[in-house]
């Protein structure tokens, strides 16, 4: 099976997956179960090149009843390399747009030799002068589609290198891009155990230093532009929490709002999780404890959303010092430290925000504005130093 583009990358318009006929229904079930968008399926060929050609045909303008539009650049990737990162996709796509073709490479780890007809050594290649061709590879669509239209049956049956087709039939020299060790291929049964070990590490043993401080700025900015606000009041109830929501809309772009208890808003929230929102604000108006925040955290843990990037959760609480004893309120809220320590292992960054009310109108607006600014900063920076902290606006 050859896959074009990992589905989680937002700047990719369409995804075409080549699937064998016997696995087609299973793949449709996976797409429906996880509500993946932008994915089209085509029947795979009997060889690698025939599968890729079928995928390219699905993107051609001359295909009847096609809902896909011809792209300027196409990225070709193997599903057996599941850990490719967005930065290498961007690098090969950018290089292909300039040079016509580009592909990831890695240093050779073993010497390549050529045997003679009688099974003896004929010659060997100097390892330092050669590289291993990896995936992903990217092309101007017109270049790679023209190459496949011209290639021979021998190429389609026995060839494996797309970059060579672009050079042979379209005279396009590919730009070679140094890839990362994550591009390794799941080929043998032992590789499945290695992949399983990596995935387990991503779920439970991911260190925050690798997920947060080393996260590329591009990723951090992109995932911070979409937040979900969960509130334990009804939409038609007039409350200070809704004023905070309006303040947040002024601070951050593309704010998605889910109002009401999680039990009622669960379906909407699940959809937002599936759309890969990595920033959540849980506004606790009716309670001084963490019931709603705990429900949200449980949903996030079950979704496994934080496998890819750290999820920021800010638990917001309001202090009405006229009706609730300050010490009692603070005692309840300090439970956030233990809760944050627990979910940190799942790559969820939890911190708290306390906002005072009621006050006179002007002071209340100032507190809400300050609270919105703190929330926006926490989401944009995604700094692990604030895990378990209770900030005050």
């Amino acid at each position: 099976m050859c896959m074009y583009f990992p589905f989680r990358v937002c700047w990719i318009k369409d995804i075409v997956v080549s699937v064998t006929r016997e696995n087609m229904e299973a793949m449709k079930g996976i797409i429906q179960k996880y509500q993946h968008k932008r994915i089209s399926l085509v029947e795979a060929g009997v060889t690698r090149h025939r599968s890729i050609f079928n995928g390219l045909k699905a993107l051609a303008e001359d295909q009847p009843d096609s809902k896909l539009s011809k792209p300027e650049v196409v990225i070709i990737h193997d599903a057996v390399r599941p850990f490719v990162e967005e930065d290498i996709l961007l690098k090969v796509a950018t290089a292909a747009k300039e040079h016509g073709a580009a592909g990831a490479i890695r240093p050779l780890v073993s010497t390549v030799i050529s045997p003679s007809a009688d099974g003896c050594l004929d010659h060997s290649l100097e390892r330092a002068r050669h590289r291993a061709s990896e995936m992903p590879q990217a092309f101007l669509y017109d270049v790679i589609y023209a190459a496949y239209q011209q290639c021979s049956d021998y190429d389609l049956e026995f060839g494996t290198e797309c970059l060579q087709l672009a050079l042979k039939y379209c005279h396009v020299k590919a730009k070679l891009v140094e890839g990362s060790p994550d591009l390794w291929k799941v080929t043998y049964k032992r590789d499945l155990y290695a992949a399983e070990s990596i995935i387990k590490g991503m779920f439970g043993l991911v260190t925050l230093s690798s997920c947060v401080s080393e996260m590329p700025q591009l990723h951090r900015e992109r995932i911070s532009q979409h937040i979900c606000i969960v509130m334990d009041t009804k939409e038609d109830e007039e409350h200070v929490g809704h004023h905070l929501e309006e303040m947040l809309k002024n601070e951050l772009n593309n704010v998605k709002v889910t109002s009401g208890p999680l039990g009622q808003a669960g379906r909407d929230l699940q959809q937002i999780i599936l759309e890969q929102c990595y920033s959540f604000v849980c506004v606790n108006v009716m309670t001084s404890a963490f019931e709603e925040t705990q429900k949200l955290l449980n949903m996030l843990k079950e979704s496994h959303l934080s496998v890819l990037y750290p999820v920021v959760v800010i638990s917001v609480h309001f202090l009405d010092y006229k009706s609730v004893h300050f010490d009692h309120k603070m005692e309840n809220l300090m439970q956030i430290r233990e809760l944050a320590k627990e979910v940190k292992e799942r790559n969820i960054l939890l911190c708290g925000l306390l906002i005072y009310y009621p006050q006179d109108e002007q002071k209340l607006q100032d507190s809400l504005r300050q609270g919105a600014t703190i929330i926006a900063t926490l989401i944009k920076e995604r700094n692990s130093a604030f895990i378990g902290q209770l900030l005050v606006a």
Side-chain angles (χ1 to χ4, degrees):
M1 179 176 70
C2 297
M3 185 173 78
Y4 304 76
F5 318 145
F7 66 86
R8 67 179 187 263
V9 181
C10 64
W11 47 266
I12 290 172
K13 183 180 179 182
D14 295 306
I15 302 166
V16 179
V17 185
S18 297
V19 187
T20 57
R21 181 179 300 177
E22 59 268 25
N23 290 315
M24 187 66 73
E25 290 305 315
M27 181 59 71
K28 289 179 180 178
I30 291 172
I31 293 173
Q32 183 177 10
K33 178 179 179 180
Y34 295 101
Q35 299 185 33
H36 292 323
K37 308 297 182 183
R38 302 171 292 162
I39 297 180
S40 300
L41 303 181
V42 298
E43 186 172 328
V46 295
T47 65
R48 169 185 168 80
H49 273 329
R50 292 190 187 278
S51 294
I52 294 173
F53 195 12
N54 288 349
L56 293 171
K57 288 176 183 177
L59 295 167
E61 292 178 321
D62 56 357
Q63 295 301 301
D65 302 323
S66 177
K67 298 180 181 179
L68 305 177
S69 57
K70 188 186 82 169
E72 180 182 7
V73 174
V74 61
I75 302 174
I76 300 176
H77 188 61
D78 291 331
V80 291
R81 303 176 199 267
F83 303 112
V84 62
E85 290 294 333
E86 182 177 352
D87 59 343
I88 190 64
L89 293 170
L90 186 60
K91 286 178 181 178
V92 296
T94 302
K97 190 171 183 179
E98 179 180 353
H99 299 276
I105 58 170
R106 291 286 298 156
L108 288 172
V109 295
S110 300
T111 300
V112 179
I113 63 172
S114 177
S116 61
D118 59 357
C120 297
L121 176 65
D122 184 72
H123 67 278
S124 65
L125 300 180
E126 185 179 343
R127 191 193 308 177
R129 295 183 59 190
H130 296 82
R131 292 291 184 271
S133 178
E134 306 283 359
M135 303 301 282
Q137 296 175 351
F139 305 85
L140 290 175
Y141 178 81
D142 289 340
V143 168
I144 191 62
Y145 190 47
Y148 270 94
Q149 287 178 310
Q150 298 176 64
C151 69
S152 64
D153 286 339
Y154 183 88
D155 290 322
L156 291 174
E157 286 297 324
F158 302 106
T160 58
E161 181 53 71
C162 304
L163 299 178
Q164 178 62 27
L165 294 183
L167 176 62
K168 180 178 179 180
Y169 293 105
C170 297
H171 311 291
V172 173
K173 291 185 176 181
K175 179 68 175 178
L176 303 180
V177 178
E178 195 69 31
S180 69
D182 298 326
L183 299 179
W184 62 280
K185 184 178 180 181
V186 179
T187 305
Y188 304 105
K189 187 174 182 178
R190 63 175 180 270
D191 296 329
L192 291 173
Y193 298 122
E196 182 181 20
S197 177
I198 290 174
I199 293 171
K200 285 181 178 178
M202 293 170 74
F203 273 88
L205 302 176
V206 179
T207 62
L208 287 166
S209 61
S210 64
C211 285
V212 182
S213 61
E214 298 177 11
M215 183 191 296
Q217 185 65 21
L218 173 67
H219 295 179
R220 192 177 305 182
E221 291 177 355
R222 176 171 63 80
I223 65 178
S224 298
Q225 291 302 308
H226 178 186
I227 74 171
C228 171
I229 303 173
V230 178
M231 203 171 307
D232 65 351
T233 60
K234 298 178 180 179
E235 292 183 9
D236 56 357
E237 286 184 358
E238 184 65 25
H239 195 280
V240 65
H242 295 296
H243 295 303
L244 177 64
E245 176 186 318
E246 293 303 315
M247 294 281 187
L248 273 172
K249 289 181 178 179
N250 294 328
E251 289 284 343
L252 290 170
N253 297 323
N254 193 26
V255 177
K256 296 235 176 174
V257 180
T258 300
S259 297
L262 288 179
Q264 297 176 12
R267 184 175 300 177
D268 292 336
L269 185 60
Q270 288 287 6
Q271 182 59 40
I272 289 174
I273 291 174
L274 288 169
E275 292 173 2
Q276 298 179 330
C277 173
Y278 293 93
S279 304
F280 293 83
V281 179
C282 188
V283 181
N284 299 273
V285 176
M286 307 304 294
T287 175
S288 62
F290 289 93
E291 288 93 341
E292 295 299 303
T293 301
Q294 185 67 69
K295 291 177 186 177
L296 173 61
L297 293 171
N298 289 339
M299 291 180 69
L300 291 172
K301 288 189 289 186
E302 290 174 3
S303 73
H304 305 307
L305 177 69
S306 55
V307 168
L308 302 178
Y309 301 113
V311 173
V312 170
V313 176
I314 303 169
S315 186
V316 180
H317 302 262
F318 294 91
L319 177 60
D320 183 350
Y321 53 83
K322 290 184 178 180
S323 61
V324 180
H325 193 278
F326 180 81
D327 292 339
H328 177 69
K329 177 83 171 184
M330 292 302 296
E331 183 180 346
N332 286 340
L333 292 179
M334 293 315 295
Q335 298 172 12
I336 193 171
R337 294 179 178 175
E338 291 302 316
L339 190 56
K341 187 184 299 184
E342 174 190 334
V343 297
K344 173 183 174 182
E345 297 180 356
R346 301 297 294 269
N347 207 18
I348 298 174
L349 316 185
L350 172 66
C351 58
L353 175 63
L354 180 61
I355 299 177
Y356 287 99
Y357 96 101
Q359 304 170 16
D360 65 67
E361 183 63 26
Q362 185 57 51
K363 289 184 177 179
L364 177 58
Q365 292 299 314
D366 291 343
S367 290
L368 292 175
R369 191 173 296 107
Q370 183 179 0
T373 301
I374 291 173
I375 291 171
T377 302
L378 291 171
I379 288 173
K380 289 177 181 176
E381 296 298 327
R382 314 186 86 78
N383 192 332
S384 60
F386 292 105
I387 294 175
Q389 298 296 314
L390 181 63
L391 307 176
V392 179

